Amino acid sequence: MLNVLPMANEKLRLYLEANGNPQSCIRIVATNGEEAEEQLGLALDEVRENDRTFTNEGMTFVINEDLLISTGKILLDYTDTEDNEGFVLFAEHSPKQ
């Protein structure tokens, strides 16, 4: 399951419109983070075989079914503080891909 908070939704919509890709799918991916721990990230992509698709306020999100099973529920938020600005993904479990 994917839950996209309103600020993240608005920032993604603005990004897609500004970059000429308002119909692109937003993929949730596992990436190597610090100390080789995997973390979640975002990328523009297309729907692929073995993907799970979510639609939120007209935007399409995709994630590989195996990744979704390993992470459980995912929350997508946007932070904007003095120290940090950007998208933040929280997973019920650490990603294993």
Side-chain angles (χ1 to χ4, degrees):
M1 183 177 132
L2 174 65
N3 185 13
V4 182
L5 296 181
M7 178 65 84
N9 194 67
E10 181 61 24
K11 292 291 186 175
L12 278 170
R13 183 179 311 287
L14 291 171
Y15 176 83
L16 292 173
E17 289 173 0
N19 289 286
N21 296 315
Q23 301 303 315
S24 292
C25 292
I26 301 151
R27 178 170 296 280
I28 299 170
V29 297
T31 61
N32 288 332
E34 295 180 18
E35 300 177 16
E37 287 187 25
E38 288 195 349
Q39 58 190 25
L40 296 176
L42 300 173
L44 298 181
D45 203 358
E46 300 174 352
V47 178
R48 298 180 191 170
E49 189 175 329
N50 298 322
D51 275 347
R52 183 89 179 270
T53 303
F54 300 91
T55 303
N56 185 69
E57 296 192 27
M59 288 189 292
T60 303
F61 294 84
V62 294
I63 183 170
N64 177 275
E65 183 72 31
D66 292 336
L67 179 57
L68 182 59
I69 290 168
S70 77
T71 60
K73 297 176 185 173
I74 298 172
L75 174 71
L76 173 57
D77 197 3
Y78 189 87
T79 185
D80 188 359
T81 66
E82 285 184 29
D83 299 327
N84 194 13
E85 181 178 0
F87 296 100
V88 183
L89 289 142
F90 300 97
E92 186 173 22
H93 309 286
S94 295
K96 298 175 185 101
Q97 180 94 358

